[in-house]
Amino acid sequence: MKWLLLMLSFFCLCPRLQAEPLVLVDSVAILKAAELGENSESLLLQHVLAHYPDTYQTQSLSRNRAREWIKNAGNACIPWLKKTAEREQHYLFSLPYMVEDALALVLLENSTWHPQLQSLQSEGAVSLRQLLQLPNGPLIGIEFNRSYGEQLDDLFVQQRHSRGLYTRTSSSEDMGSLLPMLERGFIDALLEYPKIAGRNRPDFRYYRLQDAEPVNLVYFACSKGEKGQAVVAGLNQAIQTVSQQPTYQALVLKGISPAQQVRALQFWLEQLR
């Protein structure tokens, strides 16, 4: 009996995680894709939420509005975001819940730019900086308010007046929202994850970029404040749990090129420690 009382006392003294109900914004399309089993990133999000230690609900907002709204919402988060120093001024970030392959330069199969791009390749990759400095280079599309990684973000700031850069200022709830502009010939190329671009058309051509980070960590960005801290703690608990599951790890690696999978998995798990 004494042993039983001691065990009960121990469990009563251990602090339990006090999470908060979570409001997830800019995620309706992703979760709908998860219900249909359409892609790995939607299924990964569903897995994390299934282990969140409190309730959650979704709020349908465009990405630009969502980023402003969660600053004052208290307990709201946006999934599928990179962490940057600038964003950390406005949001709390969870642990990375997945890792992505490198961004690539995407062109149509019948683009007239292939010969020039192939001539500019060095060790199988193209310098985007060099492309943007060409007097009559291709028109490359990027999205405003999207991070492409520190190196590319810095490059776009430096080259913001380049005639080779088209910046779309409106954000879509759909990933790969610039792809229709490429298909219709309004731009010559864009930067995207190959697995996202390849869903629309299997005949796109991809070029590795010297300026791109080899892998990209993906986070939840959440409201600051006491409630936001509780939400992040709950998400981190869920992420730590699912990250140890072989099925979850397999989903994380699904969109990463075979040559990068071992490196990507090791890098991601190191960040979780």
Side-chain angles (χ1 to χ4, degrees), residues 64 140-146 148 165-174 176-181 184 187:
N64 279 342
I140 301 169
I142 61 171
E143 292 182 77
F144 175 76
N145 218 15
R146 175 178 179 178
Y148 292 87
L165 203 60
Y166 167 81
T167 303
R168 177 176 176 170
T169 56
S170 60
S171 290
S172 169
E173 292 186 19
D174 299 322
S177 60
L178 275 174
L179 290 167
M181 292 192 67
R184 294 167 188 161
I187 54 177

Side-chain angles (χ1 to χ4, degrees), residues 17 74 208 236:
L17 176 64
R208 288 199 304 112
N236 286 347

Side-chain angles (χ1 to χ4, degrees), residues 107 113 116-117 131-132 134 136-140 163-165 188-189:
L107 283 82
W113 289 102
Q116 187 166 2
L117 286 172
L131 273 183
L132 293 175
L134 293 175
N136 295 296
L139 182 62
I140 301 169
R163 291 186 296 176
L165 203 60
D188 301 308

Side-chain angles (χ1 to χ4, degrees), residues 24 27-36 42 45-46 49 56 58:
L24 206 63
S27 59
V28 173
I30 300 177
L31 290 174
K32 187 178 292 184
E35 292 174 5
L36 300 174
S42 61
L45 177 58
Q46 190 179 56
L49 293 175
Y56 74 89
T58 59

